[in-house]
Amino acid sequence: QLLRPGGRLVLVLPAHQALFGSMDRLAGHFRRYERGRARAELVRVGLRPVDVRYVNLVGAVGWFVNNRLVSHDDLSSPAVNAQIGLFDRVLVPVLRRLEAGRSMPFGQSLLVVGEKAAR
């Protein structure tokens, strides 16, 4: 209702329910989304899907490891912050080039863009 006609809604959603774990609960996530469900939710609320794609392919691997193999009690712990720092410095520049304009088959997140019909 708040979106103007022709306006766009941009969301970054957690992707792949199979990745759901303790870090999701710590982050306040209730679920993770697949492309089909995200697209269906856009349509359900009256938006035209413009772009629904997975992003952060490498981050999905790290998220899986941290949820299944390592136990964290706090997302702001030194171990988590060190991983995030390394990821931001080393991997983000590479991922930016790798994923630019491409649709990844898998990812930690979904980039979702929906557009409200113009009048």
Side-chain angles (χ1 to χ4, degrees):
Q1 292 174 334
L2 297 176
L3 194 60
R4 294 179 186 176
R8 289 186 172 185
L9 173 71
V10 179
L11 301 170
V12 177
L13 302 174
H16 301 293
Q17 190 62 29
L19 294 177
F20 192 90
S22 61
M23 291 198 41
D24 287 288
R25 284 186 280 285
L26 290 170
H29 297 165
F30 296 100
R31 72 189 62 79
R32 297 183 77 83
Y33 292 84
E34 306 301 328
R35 282 178 29 186
R37 180 172 182 185
R39 187 179 304 278
E41 288 296 320
L42 287 175
V43 171
R44 186 182 69 76
V45 299
L47 299 177
R48 179 180 68 85
V50 173
D51 194 4
V52 180
R53 65 183 150 121
Y54 295 116
V55 295
N56 195 358
L57 179 71
V58 175
V61 175
W63 196 263
F64 178 82
V65 168
N66 277 298
N67 270 316
R68 301 289 192 260
L69 305 178
V70 180
S71 177
H72 296 287
D73 296 326
D74 183 1
L75 288 181
S76 62
S77 71
V80 172
N81 283 322
Q83 287 179 29
I84 292 170
L86 179 66
F87 184 83
D88 287 346
R89 281 189 317 277
V90 176
L91 294 175
V92 166
V94 173
L95 287 173
R96 216 176 259 144
R97 285 188 218 115
L98 173 71
E99 294 184 3
R102 293 182 181 93
S103 180
M104 296 289 109
F106 194 81
Q108 181 181 350
S109 303
L110 266 172
L111 174 64
V112 178
V113 182
E115 184 176 70
K116 187 172 186 176
R119 290 183 193 223

